Each structure stands twice: as structure tokens, then as C-alpha cells.
Amino acid sequence: MRYRKIPDETIRRLPVYLRGVLHLSEQGMESVSSRKLGGLVGVPPWLIRKDFSYFGDFGTPGIGYGIKTLIKQISKILRLDVMHEAAVVGVGNVGSALLSYSGFGIYGFRISAAFDVDKRKVGKVRSGVKIEDVSTLRGVKKRGIRLGIIAVPAAVAQQVADEMVEAGIIGILNFSPRYITVPKKVKVITIDIGMDLARLPYYLPCG
Amino acid sequence: MRYRKIPDETIRRLPVYLRGVLHLSEQGMESVSSRKLGGLVGVPPWLIRKDFSYFGDFGTPGIGYGIKTLIKQISKILRLDVMHEAAVVGVGNVGSALLSYSGFGIYGFRISAAFDVDKRKVGKVRSGVKIEDVSTLRGVKKRGIRLGIIAVPAAVAQQVADEMVEAGIIGILNFSPRYITVPKKVKVITIDIGMDLARLPYYLPCG
DNA sequence: CAGTGTGAACAGTTTCACAGCA
DNA sequence: TGCTGTGAAACTGTTCACACTG
């Protein structure tokens, strides 16, 4: 089934698989079946096999998938094998939490710059990163930063996004509760916990 | 097209529409066309019409949709018209950020309880909520809390989830980077920023 | 024989075109 | 005329069954 378009949903599941096999790798395992991996990460075995089949023959019939192979291949597909630097704009509650979040590391990510408008914050250090004035944002291009994280109030989110695009950012993770519009060469992923929380009651039994 | 099963994807978009019409309502508007709303929230007009059509005839041909009607109907469908109380477990960086996040309000949500294992935190107040010892979690049922928020390290996430289920929680928002398994009567939504960030590089141009 | 890889059937979602209404 | 509501077509993703392989 090679040479076919890869579903977005498959891409969405790859990080899930990666985390699962990293976990198994830490425990010293060398191979895993689709059934076992599925049990670990909550995805049915046939879907795992289908997903992996888009990228070639990862597995060995009768045995399963080599864990080292999986880690290497998935990382490569997701382009996590090179280090990515990200800049966060807005060092409030959300921005601070992100700076201290350790989960980025295993995906080859690092927040290496932080910006804020608040003069009192500028110059201080949070989680080892110096806070800079937001007016100097366009300097990030020279520092090799291509990813931006928006952690500012909704009212200024679009403005920050525009500045990021101008500064050469090509991928944005948006934590503000606003849809933002950017040129289509720029990829935006919006994370809005309010949206997710609002969906929850619908699925609950009783009124 | 009434009386048909409502797609999950439609439910996912309802909070997006709601936020859009709330925004328009604040600006004093009384009605909006699918084209205009679509431009605001980033969804194509025909999809908006299709989504709304699952719930009956919201709109008026030639005019559009009444904004007050939309707010009332969407809130009712999502069951946001009643106040929901939530309890957060883990008052670290993520937990603290959630406690101070003001976005829950417009969806009729409130975090009215907070729990932690750290004795030094217990008894203190964050964003107006007193931090309680996690061992008293099962008391939340009596207080009418049915939603739980997991904001603890990955290693103890499953344990906390089990305790939540035992405490009568029927909806869980999971902020830990772990899939958790619960009885199927319980609905879980997992938010994992690492997963989203890991997806981003795949969509970026150049290597 | 256990477990992968995959074509084909199935299910869910989006897009389109247009009838019908204010 | 402008806009909604919707069946049908097109598309995307999931499930299944089983041939095949180490």
C-alpha cells in the first residue's frame, strides 16, 4: 500500500505511538506486536498496522515491530530528528507553565526564547530562559527559530500572530482562545482548553 | 434532515460557533449569515448550514440566523445552560494556570475544588479556591462535582483517574501526557500539548 | 503458528448543487 | 434577490478478513 496519501489522522496518531514505544524502550524491550502496543496506547491493532503500512514494511511477521526501528522511523517521519527551537510570546500563567513543561524534550523541542510586553518582566529569567521585550521579536529569524507559541490574551493574539509571520515564523502553536488567520504557508495549531471542556457535558449521561 | 445521528465533528465545532456568536452579540449584532459567521470562525458556510440543520430550522432564508437563538440553542445542545462544577487534582504549574484561567466562565464552567498531595500546599488558597488534601477527593460527589481535571505528573495520572472514578466523577479532562483507561461510562478528553507540538514539524516546509 | 500487510467493504464527513422561502 | 436547508455525490478514514511470511 505504498505511495498513497497519508491521512492526517495517521499523522495525529504517530506521536502517540512514539510515546508508547519510548516507554517500552525504557523498560528494555526490543520488539512489540501491534496488539501489545495497541493495548498500551489505546488504538486498535489493525489500525496500528494500517498506519505503519503507509510508510513501508516496519514489522516482521510472527514477531512484531522492532522498537528501535519504530523510534527512528517515526521520529524521521515527524521530522523530530532535528532539534527545533521555539519562541513563546506572553509569559503569564500559560507562558510560564510552558517554559517549565518538560514534555517537549522527548520530541526534540525546546523553548529557547520568551517575549513579553510587561517591562517589569523583561530581563528576568524563567526556567532558564531570559524574557525579552516583544518589540525585538523579529530577531528570532537570525537565531534559527521557526516555531512560535502564542500565550497572550485573546485581544492581542492576532496582532502577535502577524508579528510572528513577519518575523519569519512558519509554525504557530496558538494557546489563545481565538481563531487566528495567517498566510497559508504558515501552519497553525490552536489549543483551546475552553473548547474541549465545553464539549464534555454533551457526552455526559443525565442532564 | 432532522432525527439523524449528529456527527462528533459537528459537536466539536459547536463551541467554535458559540464563541463566534457570543463575540457578535457583544458587538450588538442581532443576526448573522452562514457566510459571515464562517469568515469569523474559519469554517465554510455550507458546513455551518449543514451542522445547524441537524438540530432543526435555526435560520431565516434571505436573512440568516438570529444570534440570540443561536446562543440559546447551542448552549442547550451542549448542556452549558446549567452550571458545571469541576475539581482539579494537582496544583502545580498546569493546575495553577487552570485555576486562574478565566475562559471557563462563558461555557458555564467553574473549578470549585482543588486537590494536591503536597502538605505544604494544602490549606492555601489559589485564585479563590482552597487547596485540599487529595485523600479527601471522594467527598466531591456530595458537593455535586461530576467533572475532574487531571493536572498531575504522568506517573500518577492513572491512579488519580481511578480515584476520580471511585469518587463519582463521570467526565475527565486529562492534562497529563498519558493515555488513561476508565470504565466506558466515563468520558475522557486528553489534552497533551507535547502531542500537538510534535505534529507541527511534519507540516512545515523544508526539512 | 503468531503476527504483519493489504484489498475490499463499510462508516463517517464534507462538498456540491439547487429547490424553496422571506 | 439573498440566504437557508438538504439529498446526492465525492471523499476520507476505519474495520474486517485473510493471504502471506519469518
Side-chain angles (χ1 to χ4, degrees):
Chain A
M1 194 192 272
R2 247 157 287 191
Y3 307 131
R4 277 226 255 143
K5 194 197 165 289
I6 292 142
D8 276 353
E9 293 301 310
T10 294
I11 298 301
R12 189 202 299 267
R13 284 186 293 268
L14 288 182
V16 175
Y17 301 148
L18 181 57
R19 174 167 288 159
V21 292
L22 283 170
H23 183 72
L24 294 171
S25 176
E26 279 165 22
Q27 306 202 338
M29 288 191 174
E30 300 202 337
S31 72
V32 65
S33 67
S34 57
R35 175 197 295 262
K36 208 156 196 176
L37 182 57
L40 182 66
V41 302
V43 176
W46 54 81
L47 189 49
I48 291 181
R49 293 203 300 275
K50 180 70 106 182
D51 282 340
F52 287 169
S53 78
Y54 288 114
F55 306 104
D57 300 5
F58 284 6
T60 313
I63 307 287
Y65 299 89
I67 285 179
K68 275 188 183 161
T69 311
L70 281 182
I71 293 172
K72 200 187 291 181
Q73 291 295 324
I74 297 175
S75 297
K76 198 171 152 193
I77 295 161
L78 290 173
R79 305 209 186 112
L80 301 178
D81 48 352
V82 290
M83 178 55 94
H84 294 269
E85 310 279 346
V88 63
V89 176
V91 191
N93 273 305
V94 175
S96 299
L98 292 173
L99 279 166
S100 67
Y101 178 70
S102 57
F104 296 138
I106 61 168
Y107 296 115
F109 268 100
R110 191 175 57 185
I111 300 179
S112 57
F115 297 87
D116 206 295
V117 276
D118 190 339
K119 300 284 183 200
R120 289 166 302 180
K121 287 178 185 169
V122 172
K124 293 194 175 163
V125 174
R126 285 275 168 84
S127 304
V129 179
K130 194 170 160 192
I131 302 173
E132 303 167 59
D133 193 288
V134 73
S135 63
T136 65
L137 184 64
R138 64 185 59 205
V140 297
K141 193 173 188 176
K142 280 182 197 140
R143 290 150 73 182
I145 297 172
R146 291 293 157 79
L147 291 176
I149 302 174
I150 297 178
V152 298
V156 290
Q158 181 63 56
Q159 187 191 326
V160 168
D162 294 343
E163 286 167 11
M164 280 183 171
V165 171
E166 234 181 302
I169 293 292
I170 51 179
I172 293 176
L173 199 62
N174 173 34
F175 279 90
S176 79
R178 261 280 187 290
Y179 269 78
I180 56 179
T181 54
V182 293
K184 54 175 178 282
K185 60 177 177 173
V186 179
K187 173 80 179 177
V188 179
I189 291 180
T190 295
I191 293 175
D192 186 337
I193 53 181
M195 293 281 166
D196 288 296
L197 207 48
R199 238 165 74 216
L200 203 43
Y202 175 83
Y203 292 102
L204 302 182
C206 81
Chain B
M1 195 192 272
R2 246 158 289 191
Y3 308 131
R4 276 227 254 144
K5 195 200 164 288
I6 293 142
D8 276 353
E9 291 302 310
T10 294
I11 297 301
R12 188 201 299 268
R13 284 186 294 267
L14 288 183
V16 175
Y17 300 148
L18 181 57
R19 174 166 289 160
V21 292
L22 282 170
H23 183 72
L24 293 171
S25 177
E26 278 165 21
Q27 306 203 340
M29 288 193 175
E30 300 202 336
S31 70
V32 65
S33 68
S34 57
R35 174 196 295 263
K36 209 158 196 176
L37 181 58
L40 182 65
V41 301
V43 176
W46 54 81
L47 189 49
I48 291 181
R49 293 203 299 277
K50 180 71 106 181
D51 282 340
F52 287 170
S53 78
Y54 288 113
F55 306 104
D57 301 5
F58 284 7
T60 313
I63 308 288
Y65 299 90
I67 285 179
K68 275 188 184 162
T69 311
L70 281 181
I71 293 173
K72 199 187 293 184
Q73 291 295 322
I74 297 176
S75 298
K76 197 170 152 194
I77 294 160
L78 289 172
R79 306 211 185 111
L80 301 177
D81 48 350
V82 290
M83 179 54 94
H84 294 269
E85 311 279 346
V88 63
V89 176
V91 190
N93 272 306
V94 175
S96 298
L98 292 174
L99 279 166
S100 67
Y101 178 69
S102 57
F104 296 138
I106 61 168
Y107 297 115
F109 268 99
R110 193 175 54 186
I111 300 179
S112 57
F115 296 87
D116 206 296
V117 276
D118 190 338
K119 300 285 183 199
R120 289 167 300 181
K121 288 178 183 168
V122 171
K124 293 193 176 164
V125 174
R126 286 274 168 84
S127 303
V129 178
K130 194 169 160 192
I131 302 173
E132 303 167 58
D133 192 289
V134 73
S135 63
T136 65
L137 184 63
R138 65 184 58 205
V140 297
K141 194 174 188 175
K142 280 182 196 138
R143 291 149 73 182
I145 296 172
R146 290 293 157 79
L147 292 176
I149 302 174
I150 296 178
V152 299
V156 290
Q158 181 63 56
Q159 186 191 327
V160 167
D162 294 343
E163 285 167 11
M164 280 183 171
V165 171
E166 235 182 300
I169 293 293
I170 50 178
I172 293 175
L173 199 62
N174 173 34
F175 280 90
S176 79
R178 262 280 186 289
Y179 268 79
I180 56 179
T181 54
V182 292
K184 54 175 178 283
K185 61 177 178 174
V186 179
K187 174 81 179 176
V188 179
I189 291 180
T190 295
I191 292 175
D192 185 338
I193 54 182
M195 294 281 166
D196 288 295
L197 206 48
R199 238 165 73 217
L200 203 43
Y202 175 84
Y203 293 102
L204 302 182
C206 82

